[in-house]
Amino acid sequence: MVKITGEVSSQDIPDGMITYNFNTQLHKVTIQNNTELTYPVSGTYTYVLNRQSVLSMCQSTINVNNEGTYCFSQTGNSMSFDLSAVDGLKLDFER
């Protein structure tokens, strides 16, 4: 993860301090948070990726651990989970 953007602030994350490892066969993601931030919480979680969005504002969605559905986009080595239109939260990733 490289950046967390919220309603009040934006936090750049140093390389490798928060990592997401996706197992696409088991639909599991392992999150390792080595920062003082309380979000995201380290652990292994299930996820559901929908290429046909259930939200009218985005083409694809992702839901991790049943904790909210985010707009999902991926281009090249970048990926984002975005629900900024609803709760102000956006997570940006780079490989």
Side-chain angles (χ1 to χ4, degrees):
M1 177 183 296
V2 294
K3 189 171 197 171
I4 298 174
T5 306
E7 285 184 21
V8 178
S9 67
S10 179
Q11 178 77 42
D12 291 322
I13 308 298
D15 287 347
M17 293 302 289
I18 299 178
T19 60
Y20 281 62
N21 184 7
F22 287 87
N23 182 325
T24 56
Q25 292 179 334
L26 297 176
H27 297 279
K28 301 265 185 192
V29 58
T30 300
I31 301 169
Q32 184 62 48
N33 183 347
N34 296 311
T35 70
E36 294 179 5
L37 299 172
T38 58
Y39 183 83
V41 177
S42 295
T44 300
Y45 307 99
T46 58
Y47 73 91
V48 177
L49 179 62
N50 291 308
R51 294 292 181 181
Q52 294 182 342
S53 176
V54 295
L55 299 174
S56 61
M57 64 186 123
C58 44
Q59 293 180 345
S60 300
T61 58
I62 190 164
N63 183 304
V64 177
N65 203 38
N66 290 319
E67 292 188 10
T69 300
Y70 291 86
C71 293
F72 172 83
S73 64
Q74 182 178 12
T75 52
N77 290 332
S78 298
M79 175 175 68
S80 71
F81 298 179
D82 187 358
L83 200 52
S84 56
V86 176
D87 69 3
L89 183 64
K90 183 177 181 191
L91 309 176
D92 291 312
F93 305 84
E94 284 185 16
R95 190 179 297 206

